[in-house]
């Protein structure tokens, strides 16, 4: 029995999972049996250590944890991280010492998703494009949520992969139509910036930015209900407490087909998302599969599957045929990052 600890550490919540890792002679991947799991409100604690101590204190009959891995919502450098939305400063060495765990590794939350996709079951995926999987080929991961994450996996031996995060989401946004050129210029002026990254469009905040662009161009297409929500959102800008998640409302109105501006917003978003996924696929040729993670895709399956995403994904001129042979999946399991942290711990 080898006891592992995995964690998904975010600004709002911390999820911990305790696992029994059992090696198998007939599979390159160990069998990971969940023993316990709990969610904690991150901001109610001064550090990760007391959360883990509280979690482990209720384990009275289980051997000590040998290895731990924590996926961090923020940059990780030399096994250290200054969390973006928390006043926590974490290092693997300090956590190892204070928690008395032999090996502790910190990884970026999107790298954790990269590890996690390897353990997903078929029912935890929605296939957008079926194609034969090539085991020797790279795997690509992209996911829009609060921001946009991109990463990839490279096979190193049978059933084993090395996972890499990237900063591909900060590449330039590339307009593909006159409307997207207008969007580009609008956002450059709105934010008073010299360049626009793709993350400014393909993300939750990107959805609100697209909506603002369309609303300022033709507010008469907004329904009365959405217009009131938008006014409330504008009034709450800059305030610590907010009552409106504008991106979620836009997506909801778009799926209900009850607001023209919301539907147009999500159409632009989905097409830009598909185009960026196609750009990532061109650079990696991930015949091992391209996985779409992040909260937005799974919560908006009707919009993601109606055709615009894959049309933009494949619209790469002479390279269309190459992209048509890449398996593309939407990840449905919201805890894929936690799964990945546990998987990474098993490889330490």
């Amino acid at each position: 029995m080898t006891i592992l600890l995995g964690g998904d550490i975010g600004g709002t919540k911390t999820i911990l999972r305790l696992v029994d890792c059992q090696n198998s002679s007939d599979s390159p991947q160990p069998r990971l049996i969940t023993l316990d799991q709990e969610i904690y409100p991150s901001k109610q604690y001064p550090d990760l250590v007391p959360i883990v101590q509280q979690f482990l204190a209720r384990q009275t009959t289980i051997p000590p944890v040998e290895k731990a891995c924590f996926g961090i919502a923020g940059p990780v450098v030399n096994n250290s991280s200054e969390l973006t939305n928390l006043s926590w400063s974490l290092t693997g060495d300090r956590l190892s010492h204070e928690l008395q765990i032999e090996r502790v590794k910190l990884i970026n939350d999107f790298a954790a998703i990269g590890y996690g996709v390897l353990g997903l079951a078929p029912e935890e995926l929605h296939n957008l494009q079926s194609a034969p999987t090539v085991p020797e080929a790279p795997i690509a991961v992209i996911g829009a949520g609060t921001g946009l994450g991109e990463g990839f996996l490279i096979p190193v031996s049978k059933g084993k992969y090395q996972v890499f995060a990237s900063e591909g989401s900060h590449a330039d946004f590339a307009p593909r139509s006159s409307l997207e050129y207008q969007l580009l210029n609008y956002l450059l002026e709105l934010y008073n910036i010299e360049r626009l990254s793709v993350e400014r469009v393909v993300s939750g905040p990107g959805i609100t930015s697209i909506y603002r662009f369309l609303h300022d161009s033709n507010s008469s297409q907004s329904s009365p209900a959405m217009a009131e929500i938008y006014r409330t959102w504008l009034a709450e800008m800059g305030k610590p407490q907010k009552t409106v998640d504008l991106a979620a409302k836009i997506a909801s109105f778009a799926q209900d087909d009850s607001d023209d501006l919301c539907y147009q917003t999500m159409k632009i978003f989905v097409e830009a998302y598909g185009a960026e996924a196609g750009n990532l696929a061109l650079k990696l040729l991930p015949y091992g599969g391209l996985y779409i993670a992040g909260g937005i895709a799974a919560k908006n399956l009707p919009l993601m599957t109606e055709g615009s995403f894959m049309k933009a994904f494949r619209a790469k001129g002479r390279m269309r045929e190459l992209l048509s042979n890449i398996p593309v999946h939407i990840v449905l399991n919201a805890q894929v990052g936690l799964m990945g942290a546990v998987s990474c711990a098993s490889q330490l």
Side-chain angles (χ1 to χ4, degrees), residues 30-306:
R31 186 182 179 204
L32 302 174
I33 302 172
T34 299
L35 303 175
D36 197 5
Q37 182 171 315
E38 191 57 84
I39 302 174
Y40 298 88
S42 302
K43 292 183 180 179
Q44 293 185 18
Y45 295 82
D47 189 74
L48 179 59
V49 170
I51 298 180
V52 176
Q53 289 174 335
Q54 182 178 334
F55 178 63
L56 295 180
R58 67 190 199 183
Q59 318 299 331
T60 58
T61 61
I62 297 173
V65 174
E66 295 183 28
K67 307 171 187 176
C69 177
F70 301 103
I72 308 293
V76 177
V77 180
N78 296 326
N79 211 26
S80 301
S81 180
E82 303 285 338
L83 273 75
T84 305
N85 297 314
L86 290 171
S87 58
W88 294 2
S89 178
L90 304 178
T91 69
D93 289 343
R94 178 175 70 83
L95 293 173
S96 176
H97 174 72
E98 296 186 18
L99 296 172
Q100 298 183 338
I101 299 174
E102 182 180 352
R103 297 287 303 278
V104 175
K105 185 172 183 178
L106 307 181
I107 59 176
N108 172 265
D109 58 345
F110 214 77
I113 291 174
Y115 283 103
V117 298
L118 297 173
L120 292 171
E123 61 269 19
E124 296 173 309
L125 298 169
H126 181 95
N127 291 336
L128 285 181
Q129 179 167 271
S130 297
T133 299
V134 180
E136 300 81 14
I139 294 172
V141 186
I142 186 170
T146 305
L148 177 66
E150 298 185 8
F152 58 99
L153 295 79
I154 301 295
V156 293
S157 63
K158 186 177 181 180
K160 300 286 186 179
Y161 288 82
Q162 188 168 358
V163 178
F164 298 89
S166 86
E167 296 298 338
S169 64
H170 296 287
D172 298 323
F173 171 64
R176 299 167 301 113
S177 67
S178 60
L179 184 62
E180 288 189 353
Y181 273 106
Q182 294 173 45
L183 172 64
L184 169 66
N185 290 322
Y186 173 89
L187 294 180
L188 290 175
E189 184 173 350
L190 177 67
Y191 295 119
N192 191 26
I193 52 180
E194 295 182 351
R195 63 174 294 273
L196 192 75
S197 69
V198 66
E199 185 179 56
R200 293 269 194 176
V201 176
V202 184
S203 63
I207 292 174
T208 65
S209 295
I210 298 168
Y211 181 83
R212 293 181 73 178
F213 159 67
L214 293 175
H215 186 274
D216 285 358
S217 302
N218 191 354
S219 60
S220 64
Q221 294 187 37
S222 180
S223 65
M226 189 60 204
E228 180 61 30
I229 290 170
Y230 185 56
R231 281 193 292 269
T232 301
W233 180 80
L234 286 174
E236 292 178 346
M237 284 184 66
K239 296 181 180 180
Q241 300 296 326
K242 301 182 187 302
T243 61
V244 173
D245 182 343
L246 185 60
K249 291 293 186 182
I250 292 167
S252 176
F253 274 70
Q255 291 195 73
D256 293 343
D257 200 19
S258 56
D259 185 280
D260 288 342
L261 279 188
C262 290
Y263 181 79
Q264 293 174 43
T265 296
M266 292 306 295
K267 187 174 187 298
I268 292 173
F269 168 81
V270 167
E271 290 177 356
Y273 199 171
E276 178 60 15
N279 290 339
L280 180 63
L282 282 177
K283 293 167 184 174
L284 295 172
L285 295 180
Y287 294 116
L290 184 141
Y291 292 82
I292 304 157
I296 295 176
K299 292 175 183 177
N300 293 278
L301 274 180
L303 297 171
M304 293 290 294
T305 58
E306 53 84 30

